[in-house]
Amino acid sequence: MLGFGGCFNALGYRALSHLTPADRAALFNELYAHDGANFNVCRVPIGANDYAEDWYSLDETPGDYTLANFSIERDKQCLIPYIKEAQAYQPEMVLFASPWSPPTWMKSPAVYNWGKLVQTPENLSAYAHYFARFVQAYAAQGVNINQIHVQNEPVANQKFPSCMWTGEELRTFIRDYIGPVLQKECPQTELWLGTINAPGCDYNRLIFDKWATEDYDYFANTVLMDEKALSFLTGVSYQWGGKIAIQRTFESWWPRIRLMQSENECGFGDNTWDYALYVWTMMKHYIGNGAESYLYWNPVLEPVGRSTWGDPQNAMVTVDPASRSYTLNPDYYVMKSVSAVVQRGAVRLGMKGAWAADTLAFENPDGSLALSVFNPFLSEREVTLRHGGETLRFALEPRSVNSILIR
């Protein structure tokens, strides 16, 4: 296991601004400190996503193939301070970054939402260097980006910042452009194929006057079966519809390729216990299929959690601007129930018995055993754990998630 965490988004930073300094410090400790939830793998957007305050890229000068006007000045006002504030509580944080949209002048149509990157050598080369410039610019601010993931949800043509890619296009970009550029200019930064959101929706769709079927073999496997492209990749990250495909990647490529769940499904803004239990089942599924990390989407939002395009979504924490107070939501407690007891470097263990399907078990580097056990039933149940000649019994509350740490 590498760890657990969430994404640094501008609307989350705005929500945090409503807290008093004391409450803000207490919340950062609760989220990121070792004696809190210990969130230690987090995501950074490259340019705008649907939880930016508005849409932007890091170079909006048309035809600027030399990136002379590349700038992270906007990120210095929000994202970088947000990251550094969290890192003060979690110095070992691993950061990965992905774009939702390239600069609009590289796309057709030339908008943040919808569309595709225009596949010309000039565009592909400039875009590869765009990623390197991002890593270098953040490093100059004291923020090291450990991983680059090429595109957020490349099989999603959305009303918010997005960009469609085919497997063939990603293979070419990774093999011939961004792979060599990052290897030369940012050798300490890993390159990941992701964040993949297919299959899982209706992918028999009309894309630019051509029917395309996007599933595992036409997407991830198209890239991974190219030895040169594979040579540049450290791992594959999946989210949303990718929950189906990760199992096939795990069966075919692990441990040669590492796996990550890069964004959880994000609910409807009502933050219910029912949805939190669904989050646990997804965590079980992804980790059970080789994911070394599990990432929540928005750690903190204002009530209802609306995106810039009006979609209500869950958050682990809700900050009320009126009362200047925060609430730890059910999703937070489910995430913490695992992240607080599973150490970086823990090894997932196999389980046998009636509770195996509802249990995640790990051996930590310090030799302790960490378990997360889900009781889906409407009544209290007893679970019996046998390990190393010892028998332990635990009573589980109805519809509960339980952490067990055995030292």
Side-chain angles (χ1 to χ4, degrees), residues 44-49 52 54 56-58 75 79 98-101 130 134:
V44 183
I46 303 175
N49 60 24
D54 51 48
Y56 69 99
S57 79
L58 306 181
D75 292 8
L79 292 178
S98 60
W100 271 244
S101 173
Y130 179 88
F134 169 80

Side-chain angles (χ1 to χ4, degrees), residues 340-363:
V341 297
V342 178
Q343 301 167 7
R344 176 166 291 166
V347 176
R348 183 173 62 87
L349 303 177
M351 300 285 292
K352 293 181 179 179
W355 287 93
D358 292 312
T359 302
L360 281 166
F362 307 86
E363 183 174 4

Side-chain angles (χ1 to χ4, degrees), residues 248-277:
R248 297 181 67 182
T249 308
F250 178 52
E251 291 171 349
S252 301
W253 294 97
W254 191 88
R256 183 177 181 183
I257 203 85
R258 289 159 55 193
L259 297 170
M260 172 189 288
Q261 187 274 4
S262 45
E263 179 189 315
N264 75 306
E265 298 175 40
C266 44
F268 311 101
D270 48 359
N271 295 301
T272 65
W273 184 243
D274 284 344
Y275 201 87
L277 296 180

Side-chain angles (χ1 to χ4, degrees), residues 132-185:
R133 289 286 297 275
F134 169 80
V135 172
Q136 292 163 351
Y138 265 61
Q141 298 299 310
V143 177
N144 292 322
I145 301 297
N146 304 96
Q147 304 171 4
I148 287 291
H149 298 228
V150 178
Q151 172 64 48
N152 177 74
E153 299 187 354
V155 197
N157 209 22
Q158 299 284 15
K159 62 182 71 176
F160 52 84
S162 55
C163 185
M164 298 282 287
W165 293 74
T166 66
E168 291 81 0
E169 289 166 345
L170 276 173
R171 177 185 61 198
T172 298
F173 184 57
I174 289 167
R175 180 189 64 204
D176 300 337
Y177 293 95
I178 190 173
V181 166
L182 283 185
Q183 188 176 78
K184 179 180 178 181
E185 299 185 15

